[in-house]
Amino acid sequence: MATFQVVIVSLARSGRRERIAEVMTRHGVDFCFIDAIDAKLFEDGELDRLYDDAAARARYGRPLSSGEVACFLSHRLLWKSIANGGRSAVVLEDDALLDPEFFTKVLTWSEDTLAQTADVVLLGRSKLSRSSAARAYLYDPLKRAERIHGMRIGMPFKQWTSGAVGYWISPHGAMLALAHTQGPVRALLDDWPWHRDEGAMTIKELRPYVVWEGFESLVSELEGERSRLTPTTVCWRDWLLEPLRVGRLVARWTVAAAIRLADLTVVGGKRQGRAR
């Protein structure tokens, strides 16, 4: 039986609800849809009232699309519901693809145990395919991780804008998110470093991921808007930076190993003290 409510954020006109509803029903999950705010229904001048363009440009060097603003507002409505209801939730977007462990492990986690370690746990990453996951885990290890049902939850070395295709959020996390995002939207919904720094939220990640964005098979209206506003990156720059990434990889795994060794030493010392 699932411990958490599962809420799926979806545009009423998306045409994607039937697919994910069938998956949820097949696994016996109690779920619901929340109608996402539709940017196409903004009235003239409404976007100017809902959005702080100067703040967004200062952080990202570009404006946010109307779809990105609507996406943020949609999740903020959901956070309010979670905060008022006092029960944590797993939040999914309607293009989410789910591994079996999502149903057999994640949905049966202890809410109290999870709430003691994080406000938000990211269950997947935007624009990452299953075939590329091993490389992502290698280059982005967790500094320190706890094991719950054989799955690791921990803090990454670097948090970044990594999507909101699937995440768990506690009522306390929802209250923190609401408190620091009042007023016009001034950042991306999935700017997790911003939520951490501005909202004092503890945001961790799951490894391995169990939620995947269906970007290879499902067309994203939001992504189309985003790509038109985002500056084009230079491919050769990625190639030149690869040696730096390898060096960073070695450093991160070295630090992670040192932290793990220190933790084991502390635990061993406590056990010896009790034995005496």
Side-chain angles (χ1 to χ4, degrees), residues 1-258:
M1 179 179 294
T3 303
F4 315 116
Q5 57 180 331
V6 176
V7 184
I8 304 168
V9 182
S10 171
L11 282 171
R13 60 178 174 80
S14 71
R16 298 175 176 177
R17 294 189 175 189
E18 183 177 351
R19 179 198 63 82
I20 196 166
E22 189 277 328
V23 173
M24 292 292 168
T25 302
R26 180 166 16 107
H27 286 87
V29 176
D30 184 16
F31 70 98
C32 67
F33 288 104
I34 179 174
D35 288 338
I37 294 173
D38 194 337
K40 290 189 174 181
L41 300 181
F42 283 154
E43 297 179 355
D44 291 343
E46 188 174 9
L47 185 62
D48 294 335
R49 179 177 59 82
L50 296 172
Y51 161 56
D52 187 337
D53 185 66
R57 288 179 184 271
R59 184 166 181 85
Y60 308 114
R62 69 166 180 89
L64 301 188
S65 70
S66 59
E68 288 171 329
V69 174
C71 179
F72 199 120
L73 295 172
S74 300
H75 282 256
R76 197 159 67 182
L77 286 175
L78 176 56
W79 298 337
K80 185 176 181 179
S81 174
I82 293 170
N84 291 339
R87 183 185 175 194
S88 63
V90 169
V91 181
L92 301 174
E93 295 183 342
D94 62 6
D95 60 348
L97 306 176
L98 307 168
D99 282 351
E101 290 78 9
F102 173 82
F103 302 99
T104 60
K105 294 183 178 181
V106 170
L107 293 187
T108 61
W109 283 339
S110 164
E111 182 169 13
D112 292 339
T113 299
L114 209 53
Q116 290 173 6
T117 188
D119 298 311
V120 171
V121 177
L122 306 181
L123 307 176
R125 181 185 298 184
S126 176
K127 301 299 175 289
L128 178 69
S129 63
R130 287 184 176 94
S131 61
S132 301
R135 178 181 173 85
Y137 303 151
L138 177 65
Y139 277 80
D140 294 316
L142 300 176
K143 283 186 285 189
R144 178 183 277 116
E146 300 178 48
R147 287 191 174 272
I148 302 179
H149 288 189
M151 309 192 81
R152 298 167 63 242
I153 297 174
M155 191 76 72
F157 276 84
K158 180 181 179 181
Q159 286 186 322
W160 51 293
T161 304
S162 53
V165 65
Y167 63 92
W168 170 89
I169 185 169
S170 70
H172 180 255
M175 287 188 286
L176 290 175
L178 288 170
H180 88 96
T181 63
Q182 292 181 9
V185 173
R186 56 189 186 277
L188 293 165
L189 164 71
D190 62 342
D191 189 341
W192 302 112
W194 181 74
H195 288 292
R196 177 198 63 206
D197 298 338
E198 297 293 326
M201 299 175 68
T202 301
I203 301 168
K204 296 188 177 181
E205 291 190 13
L206 173 67
R207 301 291 170 82
Y209 296 131
V210 296
V211 182
W212 309 87
E213 184 182 15
F215 68 97
E216 295 171 311
S217 57
L218 299 172
V219 178
S220 170
E221 182 178 297
L222 182 61
E223 190 59 32
E225 284 187 288
R226 192 201 307 265
S227 63
R228 289 192 293 272
L229 295 170
T230 304
T232 303
T233 56
V234 182
C235 294
W236 58 261
R237 186 169 62 184
D238 289 340
W239 180 77
L240 290 175
L241 289 175
E242 188 61 24
L244 177 62
R245 292 192 180 97
V246 173
R248 186 174 59 194
L249 177 154
V250 173
R252 286 177 173 177
W253 279 102
T254 300
V255 171

